[in-house]
């Protein structure tokens, strides 16, 4: 098991580490939580995920990814076949950003754990996730806590859980 945790996005070391993901086939876990990587960093990560075949766990919580960053990550996971655990907590992805993640879940068959807590998903975002998980039976753990989903979002999740027996 090879694990790496980086602490300072502004450093050249972190930037070169992300570039190295393209050709690194040993690293299995990467934690980049709370580094403010934003759109630029998420695009580098997304590009690396398209090529990387060893990373199993990626945690990029609290990085201000917003809609654009989440869209880049989601796009890369449509092709990635090794990542099983993705933490996107507290990234302000919002309703529009989570829609791209939901669309990715319709095709991705490797992701098992997905952390989306504290992303202001709202009812619309929660509905998109619920609809995707009606067809995705590989996700086993989903964290959507602290997302202001309200009664409407909770109802969508409850309906999805009637059909999806892996969560």
């Amino acid at each position: 098991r090879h694990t790496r945790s980086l602490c300072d996005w502004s450093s050249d070391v972190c930037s070169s580490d992300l570039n190295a993901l393209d050709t690194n086939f040993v690293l299995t876990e990467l934690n980049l939580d709370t580094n403010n990587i934003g759109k630029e960093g998420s695009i580098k990560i997304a590009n690396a995920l398209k090529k990387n075949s060893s990373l199993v766990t990626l945690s990029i919580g609290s990085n201000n990814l917003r809609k654009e960053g989440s869209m880049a990550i989601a796009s890369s996971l449509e092709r990635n076949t090794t990542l099983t655990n993705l933490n996107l907590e507290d990234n302000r992805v919002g309703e529009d950003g989570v829609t791209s993640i939901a669309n990715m879940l319709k095709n991705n068959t490797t992701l098992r754990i997905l952390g989306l807590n504290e992303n202001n998903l709202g009812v619309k975002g929660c509905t998109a996730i619920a609809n995707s998980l009606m067809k995705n039976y590989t996700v086993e753990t989903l964290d959507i806590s602290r997302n202001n989903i309200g009664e409407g979002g909770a109802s969508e999740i409850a309906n999805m859980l009637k059909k999806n027996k892996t969560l």
Side-chain angles (χ1 to χ4, degrees):
R1 179 172 147 178
H2 293 76
T3 304
R4 181 82 189 247
S5 182
L6 303 175
C7 299
D8 183 7
W9 170 246
S10 63
S11 75
D12 291 335
V13 172
C14 185
S15 184
S16 66
D17 278 350
L18 288 181
N19 291 332
L21 274 178
D22 288 353
T23 56
N24 183 308
F25 301 107
V26 178
L27 188 69
T28 57
E29 296 181 24
L30 181 60
N31 184 333
L32 292 168
D33 288 351
T34 317
N35 281 295
N36 198 30
I37 64 174
K39 179 182 173 183
E40 178 186 338
S42 61
I43 289 171
K44 284 186 177 188
I45 292 169
N47 288 335
L49 287 174
K50 290 176 185 175
K51 301 171 189 172
N52 184 284
S53 62
S54 64
L55 201 61
V56 176
T57 299
L58 176 62
S59 186
I60 48 177
S62 302
N63 273 299
N64 202 25
L65 300 185
R66 298 188 181 259
K67 178 176 98 174
E68 296 82 4
S70 63
M71 290 174 70
I73 296 295
S75 174
S76 70
L77 291 180
E78 289 179 7
R79 294 181 203 91
N80 181 286
T81 59
T82 57
L83 198 72
T84 61
N85 184 344
L86 177 63
N87 174 28
L88 293 171
E89 73 176 289
D90 189 26
N91 273 300
R92 301 180 187 144
V93 302
E95 293 177 341
D96 293 332
V98 79
T99 300
S100 61
I101 294 166
N103 288 334
M104 172 273 297
L105 288 174
K106 292 177 184 175
N107 300 313
N108 182 289
T109 58
T110 55
L111 203 59
R112 304 278 184 260
I113 301 168
L114 179 59
L116 291 170
N117 51 311
E118 293 185 87
N119 273 298
N120 199 27
L121 304 183
V123 176
K124 180 181 171 187
C126 190
T127 300
I129 290 291
N131 288 338
S132 291
L133 292 175
M134 291 277 217
K135 299 173 182 95
N136 179 307
Y137 296 107
T138 56
V139 174
E140 299 168 346
T141 303
L142 174 68
D143 185 351
I144 54 169
S145 61
R146 298 180 304 274
N147 269 302
N148 195 29
I149 66 169
E151 190 175 318
S155 177
E156 292 292 335
I157 293 296
N159 288 333
M160 176 271 298
L161 288 173
K162 291 176 186 174
K163 183 172 181 181
N164 184 321
K165 302 299 182 193
T166 60
L167 281 171

